[in-house]
Amino acid sequence: MIVKKRCVAMLLAGGQGSRLYALTQNRAKPAVPYGGKYKIIDFPLSNCIHSGIDTVGVLTQYEPLELNAYIGNGATWDLDVMSGGAYVLPPYMKGKKGEWYSGTASAIYQNIHFVEQYDPEYILVLSGDHIYTMDYEKMIEYHERSHADATIAVMEVPMEEASRFGIMNTDPEMRIVEFEEKPPQPKNNLASMGIYVFNWQKVKDYLIKDAQDPDSSNDFGKNIIPNMLNNGEKMMAYLFQGYWKDVGTIDSLWEANMDLLKEKPELDLHDDSWRIYGRNLIKPPHYIGAEAQVRNSKLGDGCQVMGQVENSILFPSVVVEKGAVVRDSVIMQDTVIKAGARVTRAIIDEEATIGENAQVGGDGKITVIGSELTIAPKAEIKEGEMLYPQAK
């Protein structure tokens, strides 16, 4: 039986995240931890339920196990409703062979059957690797008022950085007249956020034709959007004003965590009207020892701090022993910083151990220590080094 939905969200969560290097050795990029409590994918999932969208297809591919287990039936985000829910959609066998998602458009095309069972007016296509809060309902209403075939969320970026993004050139009514992918000399600073609303029946035709083109990259940015523009479809830009961060690199992930430590952070995680839900084990309250020093930092449940922590994010159950110093760093769950160790401008993945009197990082490039690694006592890991976890 078809349960008709106004809008179905399709969340692209299969990326390898190669620019996050050691942090995505054994996990998909949307499963990377963030902010002392969350995973990146918590943000679009939470945005969906706040926006009244209760049917989400999560398209996984690279290292899906952790992400699949984390999402479960979607109950954490109130997405376990009888007539909808969160559905993990990996590539699957069709006919005599299986086929990987070859691009973002391919991922949606291979799941046309999933979307069709809800017969939606619109589909909302999202990326699983951005940190932001956004009311998608406002974007959908804008799409309806504009009588658009497609609407693309954009935000203004500094002109000197515009060449790093896909840029939407628009007329005065915000209708898109040209799309330029990372132009060396951009004409404006309206950058695509990788958030799309499409009329389902319209984009379905383009997905089917694109899948039949042997020369296509099967990508929304490279193929679907340019094809729609070339055919004169009405495509609108929706201007988003708020905090948004693409955390696809080590530097941007570190910066997004440090943004939370500002006196007035742009991203308000304490807004009860727009809570970000995450699936976290219940831990005891954190403990700060009598001689410990903690300044401008966020500490997750279960942390034990006997040393010094400054301008850092500590995930649950991190231990900082007496005499240890952690500065300007992101320390993920169940990591132990032994006595006398110093960690500076680093991202330390889960369940790592930094040995006694070891030195990790410095004042320059971000240093990364992979999950479950042990750094020997008195070892020196220089700034900018990248130590990978064991492949699983």
Side-chain angles (χ1 to χ4, degrees):
M1 183 182 71
I2 293 176
V3 180
K4 185 172 178 59
K5 296 286 182 179
R6 176 166 171 258
C7 182
V8 168
M10 298 296 277
L11 177 51
L12 300 165
Q16 183 174 354
S18 57
R19 292 179 298 163
L20 288 175
Y21 303 101
L23 300 179
T24 50
Q25 173 88 7
N26 296 316
R27 61 160 79 93
K29 182 162 54 172
V32 170
Y34 165 78
K37 180 177 181 180
Y38 309 100
K39 293 186 184 293
I40 296 171
I41 201 170
D42 290 335
F43 287 81
L45 287 175
S46 297
N47 288 339
C48 281
I49 199 64
H50 285 304
S51 303
I53 298 171
D54 63 5
T55 305
V56 183
V58 183
L59 289 78
T60 62
Q61 180 159 279
Y62 173 79
E63 291 288 349
L65 185 61
E66 180 178 345
L67 198 58
N68 295 358
Y70 183 73
I71 294 171
N73 66 352
T76 298
W77 305 272
D78 277 346
L79 289 170
D80 56 341
V81 295
M82 289 294 292
S83 60
Y87 299 88
V88 175
L89 303 172
Y92 66 98
M93 297 295 292
K94 186 175 183 181
K96 295 182 179 180
K97 64 178 183 178
E99 184 179 351
W100 290 111
Y101 299 145
S102 56
T104 53
S106 167
I108 307 297
Y109 168 76
Q110 288 195 41
N111 288 284
I112 283 178
H113 69 287
F114 170 80
V115 180
E116 288 283 79
Q117 67 182 323
Y118 296 103
D119 188 26
E121 294 180 61
Y122 313 111
I123 64 163
L124 173 69
V125 179
L126 305 169
S127 296
D129 52 4
H130 299 154
I131 302 293
Y132 66 110
T133 58
M134 181 178 181
D135 188 345
Y136 301 134
E137 174 60 22
K138 291 181 179 179
M139 182 177 175
I140 295 169
E141 289 175 352
Y142 173 87
H143 175 84
E144 287 181 319
R145 290 195 308 271
S146 303
H147 302 288
D149 298 301
T151 298
I152 299 173
V154 298
M155 65 180 299
E156 294 179 332
V157 298
M159 200 66 192
E160 60 272 17
E161 297 181 15
S163 60
R164 296 173 41 227
F165 297 89
I167 298 297
M168 299 293 168
N169 298 318
T170 66
D171 67 13
E173 281 72 47
M174 293 297 281
R175 180 167 180 167
I176 299 168
V177 297
E178 184 184 23
F179 171 63
E180 296 183 286
E181 180 64 29
K182 298 182 180 178
Q185 295 181 317
K187 298 173 185 176
N188 72 71
N189 64 339
L190 293 179
S192 170
M193 299 169 64
I195 301 170
Y196 314 120
V197 176
F198 293 103
N199 293 346
W200 171 238
Q201 293 302 324
K202 176 75 70 172
V203 78
K204 182 174 73 169
D205 290 341
Y206 279 90
L207 291 170
I208 292 171
K209 292 175 183 176
D210 179 73
Q212 295 168 348
D213 181 358
D215 298 322
S216 176
S217 300
N218 306 127
D219 184 82
F220 277 103
K222 295 177 182 177
N223 305 109
I224 301 296
I225 291 171
N227 289 344
M228 293 184 75
L229 275 175
N230 291 338
N231 289 336
E233 308 292 2
K234 188 173 184 180
M235 307 184 74
M236 299 296 294
Y238 174 76
L239 183 61
F240 172 75
Q241 294 176 312
Y243 183 90
W244 178 86
K245 194 85 166 183
D246 182 341
V247 287
T249 67
I250 292 295
D251 285 346
S252 62
L253 178 63
W254 181 84
E255 289 166 3
N257 277 277
M258 294 300 107
D259 285 345
L260 296 175
L261 301 177
K262 294 178 179 178
E263 187 172 347
K264 293 184 178 180
E266 293 180 66
L267 181 65
D268 184 7
L269 296 179
H270 298 279
D271 183 359
D272 287 337
S273 69
W274 203 275
R275 290 183 60 191
I276 303 301
Y277 299 100
R279 187 174 178 180
N280 299 289
L281 297 175
I282 297 175
K283 301 282 185 177
H286 65 256
Y287 172 78
I288 299 175
E291 299 179 9
Q293 299 179 40
V294 178
R295 188 173 74 84
N296 194 42
S297 298
K298 287 183 178 289
L299 275 57
D301 292 345
C303 285
Q304 300 178 58
V305 178
M306 276 67 74
Q308 183 176 341
V309 177
E310 181 178 328
N311 206 54
S312 295
I313 303 283
L314 272 56
F315 281 70
S317 298
V318 168
V319 175
V320 180
E321 294 186 352
K322 188 173 182 179
V325 178
V326 176
R327 287 197 178 98
D328 303 321
S329 294
V330 179
I331 314 297
M332 295 183 185
Q333 188 162 316
D334 294 316
T335 284
V336 177
I337 313 297
K338 292 285 191 178
R342 299 182 70 88
V343 177
T344 306
R345 284 180 66 85
I347 299 177
I348 313 295
D349 207 344
E350 298 175 337
E351 299 182 44
T353 300
I354 309 301
E356 293 184 3
N357 299 306
Q359 307 285 318
V360 175
D363 294 328
K365 294 182 178 179
I366 307 302
T367 305
V368 179
I369 306 297
S371 61
E372 301 181 26
L373 292 182
T374 297
I375 304 303
K378 298 183 180 179
E380 182 177 353
I381 310 300
K382 296 180 179 179
E383 65 179 55
E385 286 199 43
M386 175 87 58
L387 301 188
Y388 283 79
Q390 295 294 318
K392 294 183 179 179

